Amino acid sequence: MSGLRLFEPQASTIAERVDALFVTLLVVSAIVMIGVWAVMIWFAVRYRRGSTADRSAPPDRHVVIELAWTLIPFAIFLGVFAWSIALFAEMQTPPKDAQTMYVLAQQWFWKIEHAGGVTELNELHVPIGTPVRLLMTSQDVIHSFYLPAFRVKQDVLPGRYTQLWFKATTPGEYPLDCAEYCGTNHAGMGGRVIVMAVTDYARWLAGHAGATSLAQRGAGLFRSLGCSGCHGENAQVHAPSLDDVYGRPVPLANGTTKLADENYLRDSILLPQKDIVAGYAPIMPSYVGQIGEEDVLALVAYIESLHRRPEPP
Ligand code: CUA
């Protein structure tokens, strides 16, 4: 990298808007700082020892000034709050048509798996203009997936899934970093994200063909681990059907409902006693310690693939 860069290039749809908020905050803070310093210096000079300024009958209160310095900052804070909440909510909500890719963090590298089963290390190839959603987990400690040029960053935690999404706008190569200290080689845990034209991305994927997709591997595990023995179509055991469970609310034995998202599926495999589905006995064995993160992810991807996507309008 040459020299000091104050701003990374803007390469995602959100980048410009994050920068706009950031610059606004910077400018507002600068104006307040300059104002406070100006008044402070003015007072220090005017009322310095020995000056002839009038010190008699200091004003007791000035309602207009007091209201102004209370209400104006309050309005500015509320404005910034509303603005950031709107932006944050958008950054937290992947579009329905987003393409999911899977990220496994490990000391000290990133493993990325594309929907078709193509995997890469410390590199992330993405198509331009396509919303991409990353479903992420860690095999060991807390990491943080950071794409500065996209202005997105999300902690990657062991024991649960987190996600982030972006839509790349400019072809090129940009840094990928780990933004959470995670041990000796934390500084070296990174790589690059490569934004490609849609056709180039398709060609790149095809060039790595032959891989089995996560969902296909999950289907294999579903049988070999014995899941299908209870959750399958002709099972003798009374277990919830997993067809079309993903993305739906599940009624639980304790009377509440829970959305069957990836974290729910994950917990159901590893901590099956946590959320018992209403009307079913708590007989599901835990697979904690028996299967690795990648296998859990494969099972989750398989169960997701059973979900019938609604027809586009
Ligand atoms: Cu991984 Cu820092």
Side-chain angles (χ1 to χ4, degrees):
M1 199 185 291
S2 58
L4 174 70
R5 258 196 295 182
L6 280 183
F7 278 98
E8 289 287 332
Q10 299 171 329
S12 76
T13 48
I14 213 84
E16 222 166 277
R17 297 165 56 202
V18 170
D19 289 355
L21 178 62
F22 175 73
V23 169
T24 305
L25 274 173
L26 199 67
V27 168
V28 169
S29 308
I31 291 172
V32 170
M33 191 193 76
I34 290 168
V36 168
W37 273 85
V39 171
M40 206 165 73
I41 292 169
W42 183 72
F43 272 97
V45 171
R46 185 172 154 86
Y47 293 101
R48 71 190 183 280
R49 190 162 65 161
S51 79
T52 56
D54 178 18
R55 289 173 168 81
S56 64
D60 184 35
R61 62 180 51 132
H62 196 302
V63 176
V64 175
I65 289 183
E66 287 179 13
L67 279 179
W69 81 39
T70 308
L71 294 182
I72 293 174
F74 183 64
I76 293 175
F77 278 129
L78 273 190
V80 169
F81 174 72
W83 185 358
S84 7
I85 282 288
L87 193 55
F88 183 74
E90 190 179 329
M91 292 171 80
Q92 292 292 311
T93 319
K96 288 265 175 289
D97 59 339
Q99 211 169 308
T100 300
M101 299 177 187
Y102 304 88
V103 176
L104 265 179
Q106 192 174 348
Q107 288 168 323
W108 288 276
F109 55 86
W110 300 103
K111 183 174 180 185
I112 287 143
E113 178 135 5
H114 297 253
V118 175
T119 59
E120 46 184 342
L121 282 185
N122 292 333
E123 286 193 347
L124 170 61
H125 289 74
V126 293
I128 200 170
T130 311
V132 171
R133 166 177 173 261
L134 301 179
L135 186 71
M136 314 188 287
T137 190
S138 165
Q139 315 242 47
D140 37 50
V141 299
I142 299 176
H143 304 269
S144 181
F145 193 91
Y146 182 30
L147 298 173
F150 292 180
R151 308 292 189 272
V152 289
K153 176 162 68 178
Q154 171 63 51
D155 276 9
V156 179
L157 311 174
R160 61 175 293 117
Y161 296 133
T162 54
Q163 61 173 9
L164 66 74
W165 80 274
F166 55 79
K167 195 200 265 186
T169 52
T170 322
E173 285 183 26
Y174 308 97
L176 153 63
D177 293 318
C178 178
E180 179 71 51
Y181 181 69
C182 56
T184 313
N185 202 22
H186 156 71
M189 182 170 173
R192 50 192 192 137
V193 53
I194 299 114
V195 181
M196 314 167 91
V198 175
T199 45
D200 291 344
Y201 174 73
R203 204 174 306 136
W204 177 84
L205 270 188
H208 294 70
T212 338
S213 79
L214 259 188
Q216 284 166 326
R217 264 190 284 145
L221 287 166
F222 196 75
R223 282 186 298 275
S224 63
L225 291 169
C227 315
S228 53
C230 295
H231 293 282
E233 289 202 350
N234 306 313
Q236 302 298 310
V237 182
H238 183 53
S241 161
L242 302 181
D243 287 351
D244 212 19
V245 67
Y246 175 70
R248 300 199 177 275
V250 178
L252 300 181
N254 64 11
T256 61
T257 52
K258 211 161 191 180
L259 182 73
D261 59 5
E262 281 105 349
N263 273 312
Y264 169 84
L265 296 179
R266 178 202 161 78
D267 285 351
S268 301
I269 297 166
L270 299 177
L271 310 164
Q273 306 301 323
K274 190 176 154 199
D275 299 311
I276 303 294
V277 180
Y280 293 90
I283 49 169
M284 160 100 181
S286 166
Y287 284 83
V288 82
Q290 299 183 45
I291 52 176
E293 279 303 337
E294 222 171 326
D295 290 347
V296 179
L297 209 47
L299 283 169
V300 168
Y302 168 64
I303 296 168
E304 264 186 68
S305 73
L306 300 175
H307 162 67
R308 289 184 288 273
R309 290 194 178 275
E311 294 296 318

